[in-house]
Amino acid sequence: MNRTIIKNGTIVTASDCYQADILIEGETVKSIGNELPEQNADIIDASGRYVFPGGVDPHTHLDMPFGGTVTKDDFETGTIAAAFGGTTTIIDFCLTDKNKPLEDSIQTWHMKSKDKAVIDYSFHLMIGEMNEKVMEQLPAIIDNHGITSFKVFMAYKNVFQADDETLFQTLLAAKDLGALVMVHAENGDVIHYLTEKALAEGKIEPIHHALTRPPEIEGEATGRAAQLTDLADSQLYVVHVSCEEAVQKIAEARRKGARIYGETCPQYLMLDQSYMEKPNFEGAKYVWSPPLREKKNQDVLWKAIHCGDLQTIGSDQCSFDFKGQKDLGKNDFTKIPNGGPMIEDRFSILYSEGVAKGRISLQKFVELTSAKAAQLFGLAPRKGTIAAGSDADLVIFNPEATRTISADTHHMAVDYSAFEGMKITGEVETVLVRGNTVIQDKQLVAVPGSGSYLKRETFNQQHSPFRETASM
Ligand code: URP
Ligand code: ZN
Ligand code: ZN
């Protein structure tokens, strides 16, 4: 069995920050302390470095058909980029089709990822309709695949959008099964009306993507999902929260004790709506749903992650090349594939803009980038912490290094970076997944297929049945 000791580093978890050595035996952390037995062990010197739990990214779309094309990064390029960026686990969204058994869709996702990933991965399952036939399939999906989170889209009318009856029934089913329901919260019907109207008026540029999806539409859908969750006495996770209107609805529901959680993403913390007005169609690079918001929302989001109204940071990795994919919408903003490359930068941006700029503590950084997602999605304590018995998923991080983000040096397969030219502090140097080195001194040393599929526990196995406390 391979033995490795990581020496002289500063270990950071969601609750602690201390200097100690870590002994890894096989795939897990064996012990933490000083003067650990060094015989037959490989030694990694982490002097002057932080040792973080590997990042857990709860929101990715790899190799996913969307917007008339397919996301550029697949499970190989996407997970390699994730590893370079300090992420050792992702949970990807498995799309489903109303005309197919759910099992077939899951097998499609297993095929997409087979022999490709260099980090560990799991799947959420999209629910497009809810009826007895669908309901019957869910217990086996939880047992056989450990898929314990279901995603309902409240937007993308005529594509992914589900109605409120589907959302409510999914919440009821999730309560019975101990699963967590995730929502894309925007009012798809109103967006449909506003986009049709804009196009009829000849408004075709990327900025109209934002103008036809105003923040009120996200706030309304978030509030509706929260109310339905309360009525069903179920649990809800709101993905990619972008604005004050949505934060308020989540905070309000949590104050009442609801089991409601929220995620935001680096793009909403760092970029704003003005990027979508860049000339020469460059605004298309910044088309996400929900859209980038007015700058004032950034402060609201930073405060919300600081005080615990939002609990996680997802990348919402959904990458498309500028040339050949984003330009499908050159003459019609509704045809610009929605999403951007973010899997590699999620961890580093949060460190640089959060910790290095004094907005959040080191422990909060770990909570946001790994610990809370691991807990909510049934992966703790295997993932998201550094403790005896946990998977040895570790990131050795140099807090002093500085670098500039660029598409010329990133590892994602896309031809642009949303953060081109941005100078950041802190750098991922070495990354281990279950004790195996994946990135060594900034070089890839793992082979595709070394990552494993993770079956996850249910939400109920990791949470008390009592109502959520607002400070969690
Ligand atoms: O624009 C986005 N967010 N693209 C990915 C799909 C989704 O809605 O999460
Ligand atoms: Zn979404
Ligand atoms: Zn997404």
Side-chain angles (χ1 to χ4, degrees):
M1 187 189 297
N2 62 311
R3 300 178 86 243
T4 305
I5 294 181
I6 300 178
K7 284 186 75 151
N8 307 319
T10 301
I11 298 171
V12 189
T13 67
S15 55
D16 291 304
C17 177
Y18 59 104
Q19 200 137 24
D21 302 339
I22 302 169
L23 171 63
I24 299 162
E25 273 189 12
E27 297 197 334
T28 56
V29 172
K30 174 76 179 164
S31 56
I32 299 171
N34 295 305
E35 294 170 25
L36 298 170
E38 290 190 10
Q39 58 273 25
N40 307 322
D42 295 330
I43 306 293
I44 299 176
D45 183 19
S47 303
R49 307 291 189 263
Y50 289 126
V51 185
F52 293 124
V56 176
D57 185 345
H59 187 158
T60 68
H61 305 277
L62 299 176
D63 197 1
M64 182 182 85
F66 189 38
T69 182
V70 178
T71 57
K72 187 75 191 297
D73 283 284
D74 64 9
F75 278 84
E76 184 169 328
T77 63
T79 60
I80 288 172
F84 273 106
T87 290
T88 54
T89 299
I90 56 166
I91 315 179
D92 199 78
F93 286 93
C94 169
L95 296 185
T96 57
D97 182 330
K98 285 182 188 164
N99 304 311
K100 275 206 259 170
L102 296 175
E103 179 65 28
D104 288 9
S105 300
I106 296 167
Q107 286 311 328
T108 301
W109 244 253
H110 279 302
M111 289 310 293
K112 284 174 186 285
S113 48
K114 191 174 177 315
D115 299 333
K116 292 216 162 173
V118 299
I119 62 172
D120 289 351
Y121 60 97
S122 187
F123 306 144
H124 308 289
L125 187 74
M126 172 191 158
I127 300 289
E129 63 178 349
M130 186 53 83
N131 50 41
E132 247 172 57
K133 223 167 100 196
V134 172
M135 209 99 78
E136 274 167 10
Q137 300 171 62
L138 296 177
I141 283 165
I142 291 179
D143 284 353
N144 299 340
H145 301 283
I147 295 179
T148 55
S149 42
F150 306 137
K151 168 78 174 287
V152 177
F153 288 94
M154 299 171 80
Y156 303 128
K157 194 173 169 76
N158 302 326
V159 185
F160 298 144
Q161 186 175 329
D163 57 20
D164 287 349
E165 183 178 349
T166 301
L167 173 57
F168 188 59
Q169 287 201 46
T170 306
L171 285 160
L172 291 171
K175 180 186 162 64
D176 283 350
L177 296 164
L180 181 57
V181 177
M182 309 170 80
V183 280
H184 173 132
E186 287 185 293
N187 185 321
D189 290 349
V190 177
I191 291 166
H192 184 255
Y193 170 78
L194 292 175
T195 50
E196 294 289 299
K197 184 167 177 291
L199 287 178
E201 291 167 358
K203 297 170 175 165
I204 57 166
E205 299 82 12
I207 185 61
H208 294 291
H209 176 76
L211 301 178
T212 53
R213 307 176 91 100
E216 290 81 358
I217 268 169
E218 186 182 341
E220 183 279 326
T222 306
R224 185 163 24 112
Q227 289 280 3
L228 296 180
T229 304
D230 195 31
L231 188 61
D233 189 21
S234 188
Q235 44 265 350
L236 183 77
Y237 178 96
V238 185
V239 300
H240 50 41
V241 174
S242 74
C243 62
E244 180 167 18
E245 286 78 354
V247 169
Q248 274 174 355
K249 296 292 181 190
I250 293 168
E252 213 174 273
R254 287 177 62 79
R255 301 275 180 278
K256 290 188 196 149
R259 298 186 296 280
I260 296 185
Y261 310 88
E263 162 201 281
T264 190
C265 312
Q267 52 272 36
Y268 301 118
L269 291 167
M270 297 306 303
L271 308 174
D272 65 74
Q273 193 176 301
S274 66
Y275 283 74
M276 297 174 68
E277 292 177 296
K278 283 184 181 255
N280 304 321
F281 191 62
E282 275 219 46
K285 293 178 178 174
Y286 304 94
V287 165
W288 277 276
S289 292
L292 298 177
R293 301 299 188 187
E294 283 181 28
K295 205 167 175 53
K296 64 179 184 193
N297 288 280
Q298 293 173 1
D299 263 357
V300 175
L301 294 174
W302 279 109
K303 280 191 188 120
I305 62 175
H306 184 261
C307 77
D309 284 341
L310 299 178
Q311 295 77 32
T312 64
I313 304 289
S315 67
D316 195 6
Q317 165 74 19
C318 189
S319 60
F320 301 101
D321 271 338
F322 181 55
K323 289 202 176 65
Q325 292 190 292
K326 286 280 186 181
D327 54 14
L328 289 169
K330 194 108 198 178
N331 300 312
D332 174 351
F333 71 90
T334 64
K335 297 200 164 64
I336 301 168
N338 291 194
M342 197 56 59
I343 203 166
E344 187 165 354
D345 301 320
R346 179 189 76 109
F347 193 89
S348 297
I349 292 229
L350 198 71
Y351 180 86
S352 186
E353 291 294 321
V355 180
K357 292 202 171 160
R359 288 173 165 133
I360 54 170
S361 68
L362 279 164
Q363 289 91 337
K364 188 67 164 182
F365 169 76
V366 171
E367 189 180 306
L368 289 163
T369 52
S370 65
K372 194 67 192 179
Q375 232 180 64
L376 288 172
F377 293 106
L379 291 168
R382 248 187 102 175
K383 308 292 188 188
T385 192
I386 302 175
S390 294
D391 282 0
D393 293 358
L394 302 167
V395 175
I396 301 178
F397 190 86
N398 181 351
E400 304 298 334
T402 54
R403 67 183 179 94
T404 303
I405 295 180
S406 172
D408 294 340
T409 48
H410 74 197
H411 301 86
M412 293 176 282
V414 273
D415 61 1
Y416 77 96
S417 166
F419 298 114
E420 187 68 39
M422 184 175 160
K423 292 191 175 34
I424 60 167
T425 303
E427 188 166 36
V428 171
E429 290 182 338
T430 293
V431 176
L432 284 77
V433 177
R434 282 177 289 99
N436 299 307
T437 306
V438 173
I439 306 293
Q440 185 168 32
D441 296 329
K442 298 186 259 177
Q443 300 298 321
L444 179 71
V445 293
V447 290
S450 53
S452 290
Y453 178 76
L454 298 166
K455 288 172 80 169
R456 295 180 285 119
E457 291 188 347
T458 60
F459 179 86
N460 284 3
Q461 279 167 292
Q462 299 218 327
H463 291 78
S464 91
F466 299 108
R467 309 278 285 177
E468 185 65 62
T469 54
S471 63
M472 247 189 92

